[in-house]
Amino acid sequence: MSSQTNWGGGEQFVWTLGRGLIERGHEVVWFADKNSKLAERVRVAGFRLFRVPSRTPRPRDLVRIRRICRKAKVQLIHANDTHALTWGSVALLGRTGIKRVGVKHTAFPIRSALRYNWMLHSLFCVSQAVRKLCIESGISEQIATVIHGGLVPPKVDRFAARHQVSQELGV
């Protein structure tokens, strides 16, 4: 699950993770905003995508998430960001058979440690610094684990990049 509409490191992380799971024979159900860059990549790749409004899902969207998770026999929800964590957890209230994990990609302060402590089984922090900030913010040490996020580096066409920079600088 991802609520972000733009493409950044977190989206690259969840894309790489999802593709890696699929390559290893796991079934992945993608939840993303219909206008997001992640949804576009999922569609182009031909993977199973369910669209959910990123910031303000309606009750019917949450019921839909719950129904899809039940039908697909989802065992784990990976929330890529705090909005996905919230709407995924609310949609699955009372469903105890589905583990919920989240990822904290950045070292920004946490406004509600209660949300993380109550809604997640595990929180994966991308560095020790992020984990430390999470614990200082009130997140339980038991759920906060460091897993360094390895990303596939983007391919850069050096000739095109040089040409673009030359044009921008007027060289």
Side-chain angles (χ1 to χ4, degrees), residues 115-156:
R115 175 186 345 189
Y116 289 86
N117 289 326
W118 180 71
M119 293 183 172
L120 291 178
H121 292 94
S122 293
L123 175 65
F124 302 136
C125 304
V126 298
S127 69
Q128 290 293 344
V130 171
R131 182 177 188 270
K132 182 177 185 256
L133 178 112
C134 289
I135 292 167
E136 289 171 354
S137 298
I139 292 177
S140 168
E141 286 186 50
Q142 286 76 27
I143 69 166
T145 303
V146 175
I147 297 180
H148 300 282
L151 298 177
V152 176
K155 293 186 178 165
V156 176

Side-chain angles (χ1 to χ4, degrees), residues 23-70:
E23 288 169 8
R24 286 161 182 80
H26 298 280
E27 184 176 349
V28 173
V29 178
W30 301 83
F31 291 93
D33 186 283
K34 68 179 181 178
N35 299 317
S36 70
K37 303 289 184 194
L38 177 62
E40 182 181 326
R41 285 197 184 198
V42 170
R43 273 193 303 268
V44 168
F47 298 141
R48 198 169 163 191
L49 170 70
F50 295 99
R51 296 179 213 134
V52 179
S54 63
R55 302 293 184 198
T56 54
R58 297 174 299 266
R60 72 176 185 212
D61 298 318
L62 301 176
V63 169
R64 185 169 173 249
I65 291 170
R66 186 179 182 92
R67 187 175 56 246
I68 290 164
C69 287
R70 185 175 28 83

Side-chain angles (χ1 to χ4, degrees), residues 3-4 79-87 103-104 115-116:
S3 74
Q4 301 301 309
N80 193 48
D81 53 77
T82 54
H83 293 287
L85 161 64
T86 301
W87 43 260
V103 178
K104 184 75 171 124
R115 175 186 345 189
Y116 289 86

